[in-house]
Amino acid sequence: MSATRAATPPRQHSADEARQAGPPHRGGTLLRHLAVVAVAGLLVFGLSYAVEPFRNFQLATVAAYLCATAGLTVLTGLNGQLSLGHGALMATGAYTVAFGQNAFADRGFTGHWLLPISLAAAVLTTVVVGAVVGVAAARLRGPYLAGVTLAVAVVVPALTVTFDGVFNGEQGLSVPVEPPPLALGAYFPYERWQLWIAAGATLLALLLLANLVRSRYGRTFRAVRDDEVAARLAGIHVARTQVLAFVVSAATAGLGGALLAVLAQSVSPGAFSLTLSLFLLMAVVIGGLGRLAGAVWGAVLLVALPDLSHSVTELLTLSPAAAQRLEGNLPLAIFGVTLIVVMIAAPGGVQGLLSRLGRALLARRPGRRS
């Protein structure tokens, strides 16, 4: 008996559950996620009227980044694949939506229904690119996988500069977007309309991701992350699972990049450099790797960091050239220091720290048994 137990692969039962067990309470989980999304939508709707236009634009930018950080959380946190190329996937979605919107404008098509078509085209294009990269990534591990995704992060922006006749080089492309509907009023703030678009698309993506994480596919992702050998012995197709995780993550990254292009009404290779890919990875680690709620903190940090570096630069008396260099390098330095501090003080990230604090407070409630 002991010999049989010793020969059992580690975490075999976990892999068997991921393969065989049906998703419990699927209907209840879906309703709970729908309720959370509905509450979040109402909060965003009310907040859009309560804050000034610039804050609406910042919140819309947070929503766009949240698509990318949530997808990267699924890929790295739940499936264990390290990606340094998500900035390139965001660029793919951004340029696709630019091509779509310009094509509609050149042909004289108008209407608010055109933007969802362009966004869907951006997601589909990024899915194809993610599938190609994912097939290659599924054969690699560790630093080799990081090297492939790093090459993607470098190559994609370089292609936009090389083929400047198509992508307009460093200047990039404009992204024409329809103004808010006249039914909202002649003086309806454009930034509020941008927030509604970005938040609506992001909440839909988060709803799909949350249900995916709680489904059989999510358990399969975790089983492959924990032990590929045990997962393979349980009948899970490891390579197919890894490709699926990469495709899902690429789709959300493409949506995030497309939303950023819509918000800025332009796209250029400089906006999707290698630094963005590094920022995205550090953001999900700081927010809480493996938790979709942690992706929210990471997205907030991505937007708040440039404002923080700009404020620090203004406090110092520097020459214009030195101030520009400092403002360009300060965000990466702050991100690095924050990452080190969080990994030492809270290995589970911001969301993990908040979860532990919540459990500690519940344990201290009067009348609660220890």
Side-chain angles (χ1 to χ4, degrees):
M1 178 69 68
S2 60
T4 304
R5 290 180 178 176
T8 303
R11 304 188 70 89
Q12 178 70 42
H13 297 293
S14 174
D16 286 335
E17 291 173 359
R19 178 65 178 175
Q20 297 174 0
H25 310 297
R26 176 183 295 177
T29 300
L30 177 59
L31 290 177
R32 184 167 63 253
H33 291 163
L34 285 173
V36 171
V37 167
V39 171
L42 290 175
L43 288 176
V44 170
F45 180 80
L47 195 59
S48 67
Y49 282 93
V51 299
E52 57 187 11
F54 178 68
R55 298 304 178 190
N56 275 325
F57 179 80
Q58 284 187 314
L59 290 173
T61 308
V62 169
Y65 279 125
L66 180 53
C67 290
T69 55
L72 189 56
T73 296
V74 171
L75 179 67
T76 303
L78 294 182
N79 194 235
Q81 296 188 76
L82 179 63
S83 173
L84 298 176
H86 264 53
L89 296 175
M90 293 182 70
T92 302
Y95 274 96
T96 302
V97 79
F99 286 134
Q101 290 297 101
N102 280 290
F104 289 139
D106 292 341
R107 287 165 174 77
F109 296 150
T110 58
H112 293 92
W113 56 272
L114 299 175
L115 183 58
I117 295 177
S118 296
L119 292 175
V123 172
L124 292 176
T125 303
T126 316
V127 162
V128 174
V129 175
V132 174
V133 178
V135 169
R139 301 174 179 270
L140 302 173
R141 300 293 181 273
Y144 303 103
L145 172 59
V148 168
T149 56
L150 180 63
V152 173
V154 174
V155 168
V156 170
L159 288 176
T160 61
V161 177
T162 303
F163 299 97
D164 56 352
V166 178
F167 300 99
N168 200 27
E170 292 285 355
Q171 295 181 352
L173 301 171
S174 63
V175 182
V177 181
E178 291 284 336
L182 292 178
L184 296 175
Y187 301 102
F188 189 83
Y190 186 70
E191 292 82 2
R192 186 182 300 161
W193 175 242
Q194 288 180 314
L195 175 58
W196 288 6
I197 293 175
T202 301
L203 289 176
L204 177 59
L206 289 178
L207 176 64
L208 297 176
L209 285 179
N211 283 281
L212 177 69
V213 168
R214 298 283 295 182
S215 70
R216 176 174 62 88
Y217 294 102
R219 292 190 293 274
T220 302
F221 289 167
R222 288 186 286 269
V224 172
R225 175 201 61 190
D226 293 338
D227 194 323
E228 291 186 15
V229 176
R232 190 174 289 108
L233 291 175
I236 297 175
H237 197 298
V238 173
R240 186 183 303 160
T241 301
Q242 291 174 329
V243 172
L244 177 61
F246 209 103
V247 166
V248 170
S249 184
T252 54
L255 177 60
L259 290 175
L260 282 180
V262 170
L263 296 177
Q265 299 188 44
S266 65
V267 55
S268 63
F272 302 96
S273 61
L274 175 61
T275 304
L276 175 59
S277 298
L278 298 177
F279 279 168
L280 289 171
L281 183 59
M282 288 190 288
V284 297
V285 174
I286 293 172
L289 198 60
R291 296 178 174 91
L292 288 179
V296 178
W297 298 112
V300 171
L301 187 59
L302 285 170
V303 176
L305 192 59
D307 280 351
L308 177 61
S309 61
H310 182 70
S311 299
V312 171
T313 304
E314 286 184 340
L315 293 176
L316 302 176
T317 304
L318 300 172
S319 64
Q324 184 178 4
R325 287 195 299 269
L326 179 61
E327 190 170 348
N329 296 319
L330 190 59
L332 188 58
I334 296 177
F335 246 123
V337 173
T338 305
L339 180 61
I340 294 173
V341 172
V342 169
M343 288 299 96
I344 294 175
V350 174
Q351 186 60 33
L353 178 61
L354 293 177
S355 298
R356 288 201 302 273
L357 291 176
R359 288 194 295 268
L361 291 175
L362 289 176
R364 291 175 178 270
R365 288 177 58 185
R368 183 180 178 87
R369 295 182 179 179
S370 57

